[in-house]
């Protein structure tokens, strides 16, 4: 298990944190832990349980336009959106297609990690955002650590996948008219 990681306000990583910086990082992790407990996926978690989830990864901040996941990349990590909004998109023939938006509480990249397949889409921050970044190993360890969390994550992932499948089927059965494109 990796320990909770915090980046200083100027965005640099420091192995030796000053007491003031450590206090700031601790306070931010407490805020993120409380915030996570309000997300449907983590409802019922105690403050200590939410801190444990944070302890398995690291919180990273991104600016608008930053790409967090790239289509085709190896699945080496999973993200949980803490603040801000993400845009899920693909590129085909030089054109970008936005598939979905994701906000706080959304898990991203989990299916690629679980299936050991390359990323099926890219993700970029559509505004200043913070995410919890779990390595693939940490994510799998979490799923083994808490069977109820595993069930919640898998249920949500499958719902999203089935929704995408239905949307695809609908688009094949009733393609948009030329003036709707």
């Amino acid at each position: 298990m990796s320990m909770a990681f915090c980046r200083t306000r100027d965005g640099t990583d420091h192995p030796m944190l000053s007491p003031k910086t450590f206090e700031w990082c601790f306070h931010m992790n407490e805020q993120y832990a409380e915030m996570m407990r309000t997300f449907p996926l983590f409802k019922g978690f105690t403050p200590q349980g939410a801190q444990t989830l944070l302890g398995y990864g690291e919180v990273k901040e991104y600016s608008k336009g930053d790409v967090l996941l790239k289509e085709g990349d190896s699945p080496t990590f999973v993200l949980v959106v803490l603040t801000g909004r993400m845009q899920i998109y693909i590129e085909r023939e030089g054109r970008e297609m936005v598939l979905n938006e994701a906000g706080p509480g959304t898990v991203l990249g989990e299916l690629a990690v679980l299936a050991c397949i390359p990323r099926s889409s890219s993700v970029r921050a559509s505004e200043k955002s913070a995410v919890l970044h779990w390595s693939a190993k940490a994510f799998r360890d979490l799923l083994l650590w808490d069977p109820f969390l595993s069930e919640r994550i898998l249920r949500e992932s499958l719902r999203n996948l089935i929704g995408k499948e239905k949307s695809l089927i609908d688009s094949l059965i009733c393609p948009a008219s030329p003036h709707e494109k």
Side-chain angles (χ1 to χ4, degrees):
M1 177 172 96
S2 63
M3 294 306 295
F5 173 82
C6 188
R7 188 161 270 167
T8 59
R9 291 176 205 217
D10 65 357
T12 57
D13 303 332
H14 296 281
M16 299 293 289
L17 299 176
S18 71
K20 187 175 181 178
T21 302
F22 178 80
E23 183 181 317
W24 180 82
C25 290
F26 182 78
H27 176 69
M28 287 306 297
N29 273 350
E30 278 186 333
Q31 284 184 324
Y32 288 132
E34 273 310 304
M35 185 184 309
M36 287 178 72
R37 294 180 62 220
T38 68
F39 301 153
L41 193 60
F42 305 113
K43 276 264 194 261
F45 269 73
T46 64
Q48 295 78 17
Q51 284 287 353
T52 298
L53 293 174
L54 285 167
Y56 270 83
E58 62 184 270
V59 174
K60 295 183 177 184
E61 291 186 353
Y62 293 92
S63 300
K64 180 179 179 173
D66 287 350
V67 175
L68 290 73
L69 300 174
K70 188 91 171 111
E71 182 180 5
D73 281 356
S74 295
T76 57
F77 59 90
V78 173
L79 303 172
V80 178
V81 181
L82 298 173
T83 64
R85 301 228 30 103
M86 301 292 155
Q87 198 174 58
I88 298 119
Y89 66 98
I90 59 171
E91 292 181 44
R92 297 292 184 273
E93 299 174 8
R95 293 182 45 201
E96 204 173 88
M97 281 190 285
V98 175
L99 304 175
N100 206 353
E101 293 269 330
T106 305
V107 178
L108 299 169
E110 76 287 3
L111 288 176
V113 166
L114 290 172
C116 297
I117 58 173
R119 305 279 184 202
S120 61
S121 57
S122 297
V123 174
R124 100 174 121 235
S126 32
E127 62 188 48
K128 184 177 179 185
S129 303
V131 300
L132 176 56
H133 184 285
W134 286 321
S135 71
K137 181 186 179 331
F139 179 65
R140 286 192 286 278
D141 289 348
L142 270 172
L143 295 180
L144 293 172
W145 171 70
D146 188 336
F148 295 109
L149 177 63
S150 301
E151 183 181 343
R152 289 177 182 184
I153 288 174
L154 292 174
R155 183 183 308 123
E156 189 62 27
S157 297
L158 290 172
R159 282 182 181 155
N160 288 335
L161 196 56
I162 290 167
K164 289 174 187 173
E165 181 184 50
K166 285 180 180 178
S167 179
L168 176 62
I169 291 168
D170 289 347
S171 72
L172 294 172
I173 293 172
C174 303
S177 62
H179 67 279
E180 290 179 351
K181 289 184 180 180

